[in-house]
Amino acid sequence: MPGNSFGQLFRITTFGESHGAAVGVVVDGCPPGLKLSERDIQPELDRRKPGQSKITTPRKEEDTIHILSGVFEGKTTGTPILLIAYNKDAKPSDYETMKDIYRPSHGDYTYDIKYGIRDWRGSGRASARETLARVAAGAIAKKYLFEKFGTECLSYVEQVGTIKSNISIDKVTKAAIDKSIVRCPDKTTADKMIRLIEKVKNENDSIGGVIKGFIKSPPPGLGEPVFDKLPADLGKAMLSINAVKGFEFGSGFDGVTMRGSEHNDGFELDKNNKIKMSTNNAGGTLAGITTGENIYYRVAFKPVATISKPQKTVTRLAKHATLSAAGRHDPCVLPRAVPIVDAMAAIVLMDHYLRHKAQNL
Ligand SMILES: Cc1cc2nc3c(=O)[nH]c(=O)nc-3n(C[C@H](O)[C@H](O)[C@H](O)COP(=O)(O)O)c2cc1C
């Protein structure tokens, strides 16, 4: 199967290219009866759109979303929902000079060897413009999960280069995340991150970092052992985002230095005799199934490929070349990737909720 669809019962299929006519998504399997309008989706897209601050790409797109099907009299009908945003500020001419040159660390070379034909305008489908579609679909899943269970999928920029925030998750709110242009809710660290991104941008370079994601109050019992464990599907979702190079779940790599006696999350009873955990090193799942405790994970992004600093490379015709990339690019994609991470988490959870319901009648 080609790889343009994700999810089983809440299934999304994205389409469109960076500098083509439009980008969009078909969302199939959304339960009927959910109140839905463009106003529920647009705020998430505004968090992802280009040109939103001095530290993102200057490309100017409004990313206005249109619902073309699947909603009647303000409610979902249970039929496929088509969401589309038309590209307005496409400038294919920026890419003319790179048409035959392979950008180091981008998809130009591999798209050529795989398909033999490549839409070179703004990287075509390898561009993160495709993630607009995921964010639009994710907004539906987020709304459903929040209204039904009070579940919230949130994430923030924890690290840029070597600058890292140690803020505790309990103190993180969506308002605090969005208050900062770098989407780090810890102001002192956020200011340092912004200064670093500006420095890197002035040096015609790029820089990576880490997004910390968490899902507050997920429903218990979600996850399909043995291959579709919740963390396994979350890992796939995150690693499918452009420029992601690492995924860590729960205590992740830090757990390797701990003893079992330290790492084990004890069970206890609350005052209503309800079973709960005394700690959460597991990250909210056991054996791939949600416990109901908060889920948390980390996603590592590389410094992105397209930089105007000169780099040695080769052409399609196997000639040496030097590339100083033109076009409008993000010096650090993390602030714009936060809503993408949230959306993918919500899509995974929504899909697993429907799968759980399908078996547990
Ligand atoms: C929000 C976001 C914006 C991005 N913007 C750029 C960009 O301006 N320039 C660039 O070279 N890569 C950008 N990327 C990353 C590329 O799309 C990605 O590196 C490329 O498709 C190669 O895939 P890989 O890095 O996953 O191997 C962006 C990624 C994200 C998540």
Side-chain angles (χ1 to χ4, degrees):
M1 293 285 279
N4 296 298
S5 302
F6 182 78
Q8 298 201 13
L9 293 187
F10 187 84
R11 187 163 176 81
I12 68 163
T13 301
T14 74
F15 59 88
E17 291 84 23
S18 176
H19 289 238
V23 175
V25 60
V26 177
V27 181
D28 207 356
C30 180
L34 176 73
K35 277 194 190 148
L36 190 70
S37 78
E38 280 91 351
R39 284 191 303 279
D40 296 310
I41 299 169
Q42 195 61 51
E44 285 302 316
L45 291 178
D46 292 346
R47 299 175 81 213
R48 196 218 70 100
K49 74 180 179 189
Q52 58 181 278
S53 78
K54 61 182 179 183
I55 54 169
T56 64
T57 165
R59 180 169 173 175
K60 271 280 167 216
E61 290 284 356
E62 284 313 315
D63 290 354
T64 306
I65 202 72
H66 304 276
I67 302 178
L68 296 197
S69 71
V71 176
F72 180 63
E73 293 180 337
K75 287 187 179 163
T76 56
T77 56
T79 58
I81 304 169
L82 192 143
L83 308 172
I84 193 164
Y86 296 98
N87 292 328
K88 301 275 188 206
D89 190 24
K91 251 199 213 167
S93 55
D94 277 352
Y95 292 84
E96 203 100 36
T97 51
M98 292 195 275
K99 193 163 136 182
D100 295 317
I101 297 185
Y102 290 139
R103 267 171 303 167
S105 199
H106 215 295
D108 312 335
Y109 173 62
T110 49
Y111 265 60
D112 254 356
I113 56 176
K114 182 173 177 64
Y115 300 106
I117 176 167
R118 174 170 62 91
D119 179 349
W120 47 262
R121 303 163 306 163
S123 322
R125 195 118 170 101
S127 161
R129 194 138 180 79
E130 180 272 337
T131 61
L132 177 168
R134 304 173 185 219
V135 173
I140 301 177
K142 277 180 101 169
K143 183 169 197 279
Y144 187 92
L145 293 166
F146 186 70
E147 288 179 4
K148 187 136 187 124
F149 306 106
T151 302
E152 255 190 306
C153 300
L154 288 177
S155 62
Y156 64 92
V157 177
E158 182 186 51
Q159 188 171 340
V160 172
T162 55
I163 298 172
K164 186 172 177 187
S165 166
N166 290 317
I167 192 167
S168 137
I169 283 185
D170 313 331
K171 296 201 177 123
V172 177
T173 60
K174 184 161 184 240
I177 296 166
D178 283 348
K179 210 168 157 195
S180 132
I181 58 169
V182 74
R183 293 214 161 80
C184 171
D186 158 3
K187 179 152 179 1
T188 315
T189 312
D191 290 344
K192 288 185 194 156
M193 288 173 174
I194 294 166
R195 279 200 295 277
L196 175 60
I197 296 171
E198 285 180 315
K199 180 172 181 286
V200 166
K201 185 178 164 191
N202 290 336
E203 289 165 3
N204 299 323
D205 218 331
S206 65
I207 192 151
V210 175
I211 288 183
K212 183 156 184 171
F214 54 109
I215 305 178
K216 280 188 182 171
S217 311
L222 309 191
E224 299 295 327
V226 289
F227 295 111
D228 298 345
K229 293 172 179 167
L230 204 282
D233 277 1
L234 208 54
K236 173 164 184 175
M238 297 306 155
L239 286 162
S240 77
I241 299 173
N242 313 43
V244 170
K245 292 291 159 194
F247 176 73
E248 181 187 82
F249 190 82
S251 60
F253 290 95
D254 284 346
V256 299
T257 58
M258 295 164 90
R259 301 284 173 96
S261 52
E262 246 181 303
H263 190 267
N264 288 350
D265 300 312
F267 287 107
E268 57 184 42
L269 299 174
D270 71 10
K271 55 181 186 307
N272 300 316
N273 247 16
K274 204 173 151 259
I275 296 175
K276 59 179 228 111
M277 324 280 241
S278 29
T279 54
N280 187 15
N281 287 316
T285 66
L286 288 171
I289 302 170
T290 56
T291 58
E293 301 288 331
N294 291 342
I295 293 168
Y296 63 94
Y297 54 91
R298 285 196 170 87
V299 189
F301 288 77
K302 74 182 192 186
V304 288
T306 318
I307 54 175
S308 41
K309 201 171 205 169
Q311 297 175 94
K312 289 215 176 314
T313 184
V314 296
T315 68
R316 296 184 85 189
L317 301 171
K319 298 265 178 270
H320 290 292
T322 301
L323 173 68
S324 301
R328 297 157 294 175
H329 301 281
D330 288 280
C332 175
V333 299
L334 280 94
R336 293 182 56 217
V338 161
I340 308 169
V341 167
D342 295 350
M344 291 311 290
I347 290 166
V348 169
L349 214 69
M350 183 73 196
D351 188 41
H352 275 276
Y353 169 64
L354 297 182
R355 290 173 72 182
H356 178 63
K357 289 285 280 183
Q359 191 182 28
N360 297 273
L361 302 170

